[in-house]
Amino acid sequence: LAEETGIEVERIRSAEKSRDVAAVRHLCVYLSSHSLGLSARRICRSLRLRSPSIVAYARRAVDRRRRIDAGYEQLIQRVQGRLEGAQRDLEW
C-alpha cells in the first residue's frame, strides 16, 4: 500500500490521524481481513490499533468508499491482485 499510495510504512503504522494516512490504514485493515484472512486481533496488534471495533469501522468505511469511487475500487483490485497467493501468516 505504501508503494501504491505514496504514504510511507512508518506513517501507516504510526498514530498519525491525517485523513490520507487514516484512509490508507483503513484499506490496510480491509485487505488484511478480506484478502489475507487475518483476524481482527492480529490486525490490531500489527497496526497498533486499540480495539477490534476499529477494524470493523475501517472495513465499513472502505466498503462505502468502494461503492462510490471507481478509482478507489481499481486501487483495491490492483492491490488484491498483488496479494494473490500471499501467505496468511505474514510477519508484519
Side-chain angles (χ1 to χ4, degrees):
L1 286 174
E3 188 177 301
E4 284 282 343
T5 64
I7 306 281
E8 297 85 16
V9 172
E10 295 79 23
R11 289 181 67 199
I12 296 169
R13 294 189 71 188
S14 75
E16 184 177 335
K17 295 180 181 179
S18 67
R19 180 175 282 195
D20 57 342
V21 172
V24 174
R25 197 175 298 126
H26 288 166
L27 184 52
C28 187
V29 166
Y30 181 88
L31 293 168
S32 297
S33 174
H34 284 281
S35 297
L36 299 176
L38 299 178
S39 69
R41 188 175 187 186
R42 177 94 187 249
I43 294 167
C44 286
R45 276 196 314 263
S46 296
L47 292 174
R48 300 180 188 120
L49 303 174
R50 293 183 207 159
S51 165
S53 65
I54 296 170
V55 172
Y57 173 82
R59 289 172 51 177
R60 286 191 307 271
V62 170
D63 280 333
R64 275 192 307 272
R65 188 167 173 193
R66 283 182 86 170
R67 287 192 296 271
I68 62 171
D69 186 344
Y72 191 67
E73 176 65 24
Q74 291 173 350
L75 168 66
I76 291 172
Q77 295 298 322
R78 278 194 313 273
V79 175
Q80 282 179 326
R82 293 175 68 181
L83 289 173
E84 263 182 40
Q87 298 291 330
R88 284 189 161 183
D89 294 327
L90 292 174
E91 286 301 321
W92 289 31

